[in-house]
Amino acid sequence: GYQRFKEALFNRRIAPGQFVSQAELVGVTGVQLGPMREAVQKLESEGFLKVMPKRGIQVVEITLKMIRDTYSAQLMIEKEAAHAFAEYAPDKAIRALEKAHVEFANRMTLKLTPALRSEFHRFDESFHLGLVKALDNGLVLEFYNRNRERLRLIELSHPYVLTDVMIQAVLDDHLTIIRACVERDTPRARQAMQRHLAVGLKHALGI
């Protein structure tokens, strides 16, 4: 029930802010009532829905506060991740990351196809997740992954088309962070990450 609910949410079969009953959730997810009740408790503890007495179950609503809180949490974790990567990552790992970004940036001079745009999304996600994994903290990683799901929900609710110029700007930001790591400049790595993530928040807020 837990995973089926998230699939329905991300596939837009359940809308953010929508009120639903447990029976309706059973119908949408195809999960029996008992397992669905257990899933509702877990999903509520993670902030994906809220049980409202006499009103039903409200799916998480995309509010201004929710957007700011989600990006703020991401920023706190990823600034620390950039700092730690700059301080502790092996030179070989940093150089490999730099090389991969330079090569990918060169490919972006080609015509931007849907396949290449999808590949960029995976590349971008891999970069951020890789830095957080380098913290080697399971609790932080677990929270970060849940927060990434909230980010995904925000992006689905506030869609925008990535242009080749925007993608190149993202890759340039990544390279600025990586090169600060090459130089073991932890303050510059943190600052570069903060500037980079601020762009995502502006897109989400429609600024």
Side-chain angles (χ1 to χ4, degrees):
Y2 173 80
Q3 200 56 46
R4 289 280 186 87
F5 171 88
K6 287 188 175 180
E7 288 171 5
L9 185 59
F10 293 132
N11 290 333
R12 309 316 297 270
R13 286 183 287 123
I14 300 174
Q18 179 181 346
F19 278 91
V20 292
S21 65
Q22 287 192 1
E24 287 171 325
L25 286 178
V26 166
V28 170
T29 62
V31 175
Q32 292 183 346
L33 187 57
M36 195 67 243
R37 282 176 178 153
E38 294 177 10
V40 164
Q41 291 178 352
K42 185 174 182 182
L43 289 160
E44 184 174 28
S45 72
E46 293 183 1
F48 284 98
L49 48 78
K50 186 175 182 181
V51 178
M52 311 278 282
K54 299 182 180 180
R55 295 185 64 189
I57 300 167
Q58 186 180 26
V59 180
V60 61
E61 192 174 6
I62 310 300
T63 63
L64 181 61
K65 185 177 188 309
M66 185 268 203
I67 293 172
R68 289 190 181 279
D69 286 352
T70 302
Y71 274 89
S72 177
Q74 183 194 25
L75 179 59
M76 284 189 289
I77 292 172
E78 293 207 38
K79 279 200 304 182
E80 290 304 318
H83 181 119
F85 200 77
E87 189 168 5
Y88 300 117
D91 289 339
K92 185 177 180 180
I94 300 173
R95 289 296 186 184
L97 198 56
E98 182 181 31
K99 182 174 182 288
H101 272 76
V102 170
E103 290 175 351
F104 197 92
N106 289 337
R107 290 180 57 205
M108 292 310 301
T109 59
L110 305 173
K111 180 178 175 58
L112 184 58
T113 62
L116 191 55
R117 184 179 281 113
S118 294
E119 187 178 349
F120 165 75
H121 279 293
R122 292 191 297 271
F123 188 81
D124 177 55
E125 187 174 274
S126 175
F127 169 72
H128 288 276
L129 183 58
L131 293 189
V132 175
K133 282 183 175 179
L135 287 169
D136 194 25
N137 186 316
L139 290 175
V140 170
L141 182 60
E142 181 182 356
F143 175 83
Y144 179 77
N145 282 329
R146 284 206 303 270
N147 202 59
R148 281 172 62 213
E149 291 182 320
R150 284 188 280 272
L151 284 168
R152 183 180 169 193
L153 198 56
I154 291 167
E155 289 166 1
L156 287 171
S157 300
H158 297 73
Y160 59 90
V161 177
L162 277 172
T163 64
D164 53 352
V165 173
M166 292 165 69
I167 289 174
Q168 194 62 57
V170 169
L171 294 172
D172 287 344
D173 281 355
H174 286 192
L175 280 167
T176 299
I177 296 164
I178 293 165
R179 284 164 181 161
C181 294
V182 168
E183 297 173 14
R184 303 297 180 180
D185 190 336
T186 53
R188 189 154 64 91
R190 292 173 67 95
Q191 290 164 6
M193 180 62 81
Q194 181 162 352
R195 285 194 299 271
H196 175 54
L197 294 180
V199 175
L201 175 59
K202 287 181 179 179
H203 282 309
L205 295 175
I207 299 173

